[in-house]
């Protein structure tokens, strides 16, 4: 109950409004938005990305922000000619399965980020999806920034709205957009890490609550598998952020570069959380295996104790079942009740001994 309330509160706090759905823009199937910014202020210009870029270059001020969602190769090749993109940058923007990295091609900075979304679920099972990953490619030039999103989440609509509300920050140019994108991606990592903590706590509570359950091992393995997917998205980003924060580039001016160090610190916090969860899940899994072993030993002791108790009447009955002519007490009137009494007393004494030793 407490866990459900915490999840509900988290959803309310971190709720986002998607303002960049393709249906809101008539610019094309993959074009989410194409906006010109001059001195941090949005300008309504031509809908074509090429016309907008030519207008900016003719004026000698401002930049163009073009947002794409899963564009086709033909669309990227068309943009490559208008924006002067390197073929390797175009290839990277078109693929949806890459490691986070930062490289520069012909004066255009290519940055690849992995986006992560926590998948809500009422209860963790052996097949629950915990983390959903996507990809975000940012091409940063001196007078343009192109964001290419792969996957069903990671919308930049709220980010664009926040930047437009801060013209001073947006006036820093395309590098400010790149920093804002990196900051949002890492902030999403923190939110996912905080949500995964609830699953780790739930698994830990389940394992140490009492007798181990069969599904506990499957739940721990599934959570570790999802955590590994999350780790593959987070850990490789450390090097690209270090490059953005320290290496000089024509696309990132000195005024924006220090802000990437702050993003790198947030990423370090996330990686530390992931390492802690991973180590804790290893300990929980080992504890679960130990509990299973102890439970099996206890079951074997109980089975052995009951087998020893049953062995006494079995032995007596076996002796009197041999049907020899000269067996003792065969013609005694109280022989049958005496044999039953002997078996009952022997079983009671053995049972009492096993109870004292903790076997039963």
């Amino acid at each position: 109950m407490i866990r459900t309330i915490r999840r509900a509160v988290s959803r309310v706090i971190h709720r986002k409004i998607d303002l960049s759905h393709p249906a809101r823009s008539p610019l094309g199937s993959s074009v989410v938005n194409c906006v010109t910014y001059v001195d941090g202020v949005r300008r309504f210009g031509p809908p074509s990305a090429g016309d907008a870029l030519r207008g900016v270059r003719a004026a000698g001020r401002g930049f163009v922000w073009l947002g794409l969602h899963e564009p086709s190769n033909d669309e990227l090749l068309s943009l490559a000619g208008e924006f002067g993109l390197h073929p390797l940058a175009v290839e990277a923007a078109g693929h949806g399965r890459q490691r986070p990295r930062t490289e520069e091609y012909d004066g255009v900075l290519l940055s690849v980020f992995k986006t992560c979304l926590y998948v809500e679920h009422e209860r963790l099972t052996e097949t629950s999806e915990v983390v959903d990953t996507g990809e975000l490619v940012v091409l940063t030039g001196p007078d343009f920034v192109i964001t290419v999103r792969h996957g069903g989440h990671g919308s930049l609509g709220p980010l664009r709205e926040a930047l437009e509300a801060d013209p001073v920050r947006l006036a820093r140019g395309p590098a400010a957009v790149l920093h804002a994108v990196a900051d949002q991606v890492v902030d999403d990592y923190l939110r996912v890490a905080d949500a995964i903590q609830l699953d780790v706590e739930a698994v830990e509570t389940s394992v140490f609550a009492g007798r181990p359950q069969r599904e506990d091992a499957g739940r721990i393995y599934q959570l570790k598998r999802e955590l590994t997917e999350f780790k593959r998205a987070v850990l490789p980003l450390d090097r690209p952020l270090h490059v953005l924060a320290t290496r000089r580039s024509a696309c990132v001016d000195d005024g924006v570069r220090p802000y990437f160090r702050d993003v790198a610190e947030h990423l370090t916090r996330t990686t530390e959380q992931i390492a802690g969860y991973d180590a804790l899940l290893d300990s929980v899994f080992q504890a679960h295996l130990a509990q299973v072993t102890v439970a099996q030993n206890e079951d074997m002791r109980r089975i052995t104790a009951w087998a020893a108790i049953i062995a006494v009447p079995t032995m007596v009955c076996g002796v009197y079942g041999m049907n020899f002519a000269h067996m003792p007490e065969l013609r005694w009137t109280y022989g049958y009740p005496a044999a039953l009494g002997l078996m009952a007393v022997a079983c009671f004494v053995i049972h009492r001994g096993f109870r004292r030793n903790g076997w039963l």
Side-chain angles (χ1 to χ4, degrees), residues 26-92:
L27 303 180
S29 59
S30 67
V31 179
V32 177
N33 219 330
C34 180
V35 180
T36 300
Y37 296 95
V38 179
D39 296 330
V41 179
R42 179 172 183 160
R43 304 286 182 171
F44 293 93
S48 170
D51 293 340
L53 182 62
R54 283 187 289 271
V56 166
R57 289 178 175 175
R61 54 196 297 232
F63 69 94
V64 177
W65 183 355
L66 174 64
L68 303 175
H69 179 240
E70 298 184 350
S72 64
N73 290 331
D74 293 338
E75 289 173 317
L76 288 174
L77 291 175
S78 176
L79 290 173
E82 294 179 340
F83 287 81
L85 303 178
H86 193 277
L88 291 178
V90 175
E91 181 181 359

Side-chain angles (χ1 to χ4, degrees), residues 15 21 34 94 119 134 186 193 239 267 291 315 327:
R15 181 178 297 167
H21 193 279
C34 180
V119 181
V186 175
R239 178 61 181 170
L267 183 69
Q291 287 180 334
M315 179 187 65
M327 292 184 67

Side-chain angles (χ1 to χ4, degrees), residues 133-160:
T133 59
E135 190 170 301
L136 186 60
V137 180
V138 183
L139 298 168
T140 309
D143 49 15
F144 67 87
V145 57
I146 302 174
T147 54
V148 184
R149 182 165 58 93
H150 296 275
H153 62 274
S155 171
L156 299 178
L159 175 64
R160 185 188 291 268

Side-chain angles (χ1 to χ4, degrees), residues 52-313:
L53 182 62
R54 283 187 289 271
V56 166
R57 289 178 175 175
R61 54 196 297 232
F63 69 94
V64 177
W65 183 355
L66 174 64
L68 303 175
H69 179 240
E70 298 184 350
S72 64
N73 290 331
D74 293 338
E75 289 173 317
L76 288 174
L77 291 175
S78 176
L79 290 173
E82 294 179 340
F83 287 81
L85 303 178
H86 193 277
L88 291 178
V90 175
E91 181 181 359
H95 291 176
R97 294 183 179 180
Q98 299 184 77
R99 285 173 59 88
R101 59 193 177 99
T102 296
E103 296 180 8
E104 190 167 344
Y105 300 102
D106 295 340
V108 176
L109 190 64
L110 168 71
S111 302
V112 180
F113 302 94
K114 284 289 187 180
T115 59
C116 291
L117 174 70
Y118 180 79
V119 181
E120 294 288 346
H121 49 270
E122 293 298 327
R123 183 177 181 273
L124 181 67
T125 64
E126 295 90 339
T127 58
S128 295
E129 184 180 10
V130 179
V131 179
D132 184 22
T133 59
E135 190 170 301
L136 186 60
V137 180
V138 183
L139 298 168
T140 309
D143 49 15
F144 67 87
V145 57
I146 302 174
T147 54
V148 184
R149 182 165 58 93
H150 296 275
H153 62 274
S155 171
L156 299 178
L159 175 64
R160 185 188 291 268
E161 184 185 49
L163 286 174
E164 290 178 353
D166 188 1
V168 176
R169 181 182 180 189
L170 196 56
R172 294 179 180 270
V177 178
L178 175 61
H179 164 260
V181 170
D183 190 41
Q184 174 174 297
V185 169
V186 175
D187 285 346
D188 288 340
Y189 290 165
L190 289 172
R191 280 188 281 269
V192 172
D194 291 340
I196 290 178
Q197 181 180 1
L198 300 180
D199 289 320
V200 175
E201 292 175 353
V203 169
E204 184 181 16
T205 302
S206 176
V207 169
F208 293 102
R211 189 175 179 84
Q213 303 296 323
R214 284 185 176 181
E215 63 271 13
D216 284 342
R219 295 170 62 198
I220 296 172
Y221 176 78
Q222 179 65 14
L223 188 55
K224 280 188 65 67
R225 183 177 181 180
E226 294 292 312
L227 189 63
T228 300
E229 182 179 359
F230 185 38
K231 186 190 303 183
R232 289 187 186 133
V234 175
L235 296 187
L237 187 57
D238 180 69
R239 178 61 181 170
L241 287 180
H242 177 74
V243 170
L244 290 172
T246 58
R247 183 178 301 176
R248 289 184 176 274
S249 172
C251 301
V252 181
D253 57 59
D254 295 337
V256 177
R257 190 177 299 110
Y259 291 95
F260 285 102
R261 286 198 289 268
D262 180 67
V263 179
E265 290 179 3
H266 292 172
L267 183 69
T268 301
R269 174 187 163 190
T270 305
T271 56
E272 290 175 353
Q273 284 184 279
I274 294 175
Y277 298 157
D278 200 16
L280 181 58
L281 285 176
D282 286 337
S283 300
V284 170
F285 188 66
Q286 293 298 325
H288 172 72
L289 293 181
Q291 287 180 334
V292 171
T293 302
V294 171
Q296 290 176 343
N297 291 337
E298 290 179 353
D299 292 339
M300 289 302 299
R301 289 197 304 178
R302 290 190 182 95
I303 294 172
T304 303
W306 284 111
I309 293 174
I310 295 174
V312 174

